[in-house]
Amino acid sequence: MDDGISDMTKDYLVSLENRFNYSVTFHDVSEIACNLPTTYYFPKVTYARFMLPSIFAGTPHRRIFYSDADVFFTRDIAPVYDTDMKGCVVAGVQELNCLPPVIHIPDTGAHISYVERWSQRFGVDTTSTDGLYINAGTILLDITEFENKGFARRCLDECEQITLEKAPLLDQDVLNYVCWGHTAPLPVSYGAIPLYGKFYSGEEYYPSTCKYTKEELALALTSPAIIHFAGQKPRVLEGARYPLEQQFIDFWKQSAWRGYMPYSPRIGSLSPSRFIQPNTPIKQYIGELRKQLIKYTVASYLFTGERRKRYAMQRDGLRTVLRNAKACC
């Protein structure tokens, strides 16, 4: 879905079709309303998923599988189209509400999960067995019913009225509000999130509200169909920090984008991120890393005590990143 992809990028993607055996079609979604709330992590195009029914109107397709851009497909996902949606209009992986973000309630000592907080803000009864709060990063839509029930229009209308205070996750919060009672679960393997690795492995608390068995959660680690890098993106130059991230790093090194930064790096308070943007050649990034390394090295000698330790840790971290960056060129 194209909200202003450059012609150069489009040409490059198309040029790789034969080499990697895929095809790409660009759908112009630039007509999305300009008054929708956005953040650095949620640009305007995030709302384009609600335009899917109109994009595919008049086609024989009844269902469509949508995914965010920060995903990694590990195998054929054709079986997902046969999912029993139980009459629902959308299916997705349950947002595991036992996990962070957990919000502290001042003056009470209580803690509340994000989903519980969401239910209070939107006035939704989450005790209902018919409801399911899903992650909007990978969803299966019955696009005909989604349109016929007016959910597509309602989602966009709601998004124009919400605020970040009410809906920090914007389109995901709205999708769950509008479709509450009409959402079905997808297997957790269709949206395995590396950040939740300890939960999948059984190392963290298993809540009664989880729709998946411990065996199903374990499969998210051992046999994921889709890895969704929500919350934390793989740091290819720092190494895998969570389960499943190494797969991304290994395949990135084999891809046509090897040698280019897949993210904007952030390293300490003297971060070069303001200079380095995604798709910057790593060779250029190495130059900035060297400058930062000199700063941290000098700082580690100028100061004493805790500040010296902190700068020394940053210096050592930069050395590791610089070594990994050189190995990627």
Side-chain angles (χ1 to χ4, degrees):
M1 288 184 279
D2 173 16
D3 183 36
I5 302 173
S6 70
D7 289 338
M8 182 178 69
T9 299
K10 289 181 182 179
D11 291 343
Y12 187 51
L13 288 170
V14 171
S15 72
L16 296 171
E17 288 184 335
N18 291 335
R19 179 179 169 188
F20 291 100
N21 190 27
Y22 74 90
S23 62
V24 59
T25 303
F26 298 95
H27 295 280
D28 184 0
V29 293
S30 56
E31 62 188 57
I32 305 173
C34 294
N35 58 335
L36 292 166
T38 61
T39 69
Y40 176 80
Y41 295 103
F42 295 95
K44 189 175 67 168
V45 74
T46 195
Y47 301 102
R49 71 197 74 196
F50 300 137
M51 299 174 66
L52 288 170
S54 60
I55 289 174
F56 288 90
T59 70
H61 304 294
R62 179 177 176 82
R63 288 182 172 184
I64 186 169
F65 186 77
Y66 165 90
S67 79
D68 282 349
D70 57 345
V71 300
F72 183 74
F73 291 80
T74 66
R75 64 172 185 264
D76 182 10
I77 64 162
V80 75
Y81 290 95
D82 297 324
T83 298
D84 181 6
M85 296 181 67
K86 300 178 174 57
C88 295
V89 297
V90 59
V93 175
Q94 181 187 20
E95 185 66 63
L96 302 172
N97 60 3
C98 69
L99 298 168
V102 175
I103 303 167
H104 175 69
I105 307 302
D107 303 322
T108 66
H111 289 74
I112 185 171
S113 73
Y114 182 85
V115 174
E116 291 171 315
R117 188 71 168 170
W118 166 85
S119 70
Q120 293 176 5
R121 287 169 170 163
F122 282 87
V124 177
D125 180 14
T126 55
T127 61
S128 168
T129 56
D130 295 331
L132 179 71
Y133 186 99
I134 60 173
N135 186 296
T138 53
I139 54 176
L140 179 66
L141 279 174
D142 184 323
I143 54 177
T144 302
E145 286 302 304
F146 195 72
E147 179 74 0
N148 290 343
K149 292 182 183 296
F151 288 163
R153 187 66 261 167
R154 275 192 61 197
C155 282
L156 286 170
D157 289 343
E158 289 287 341
C159 285
E160 291 182 10
Q161 301 174 38
I162 62 169
T163 62
L164 275 169
E165 182 179 2
K166 180 178 181 180
L169 297 183
L170 297 178
D171 57 300
Q172 177 171 298
D173 284 340
V174 167
L175 175 69
N176 280 281
Y177 169 62
V178 171
C179 298
W180 187 255
H182 299 273
T183 52
L186 283 179
V188 67
S189 60
Y190 283 103
I193 298 176
L195 192 61
Y196 296 171
K198 288 186 177 180
F199 179 71
Y200 298 145
S201 65
E203 296 180 40
E204 291 186 347
Y205 175 65
Y206 179 80
S208 59
T209 52
C210 182
K211 300 292 185 182
Y212 306 109
T213 65
K214 292 183 178 180
E215 291 73 22
E216 288 173 322
L217 291 171
L219 282 175
L221 280 182
T222 59
S223 184
I226 300 172
I227 305 173
H228 182 196
F229 297 101
Q232 296 283 350
K233 308 308 177 193
R235 301 285 169 174
V236 297
L237 302 185
E238 299 168 45
R241 298 158 300 165
Y242 305 103
L244 306 177
E245 282 195 345
Q246 190 60 47
Q247 290 192 49
F248 176 91
I249 295 172
D250 291 343
F251 279 91
W252 169 76
K253 290 180 178 179
Q254 300 176 40
S255 76
W257 283 268
R258 173 188 170 91
Y260 293 85
M261 290 299 301
Y263 56 87
S264 182
R266 294 175 182 171
I267 305 174
S269 58
L270 300 178
S271 170
S273 62
R274 62 183 181 275
F275 307 113
I276 304 298
Q277 298 300 319
N279 298 324
T280 298
I282 290 180
K283 288 182 178 180
Q284 180 180 335
Y285 180 46
I286 288 175
E288 292 295 336
L289 280 174
R290 285 174 174 153
K291 295 177 186 177
Q292 299 301 315
L293 181 56
I294 292 172
K295 291 180 181 179
Y296 277 112
T297 301
V298 172
S300 67
Y301 286 106
L302 289 177
F303 297 94
T304 59
E306 288 300 318
R307 292 186 72 180
R308 182 171 187 168
K309 290 181 181 179
R310 185 168 69 251
Y311 285 130
M313 287 179 61
Q314 295 287 355
R315 176 200 63 201
D316 295 342
L318 276 167
R319 285 174 176 168
T320 300
V321 173
L322 184 57
R323 185 166 55 249
N324 291 339
K326 290 179 179 177
C328 291
C329 293

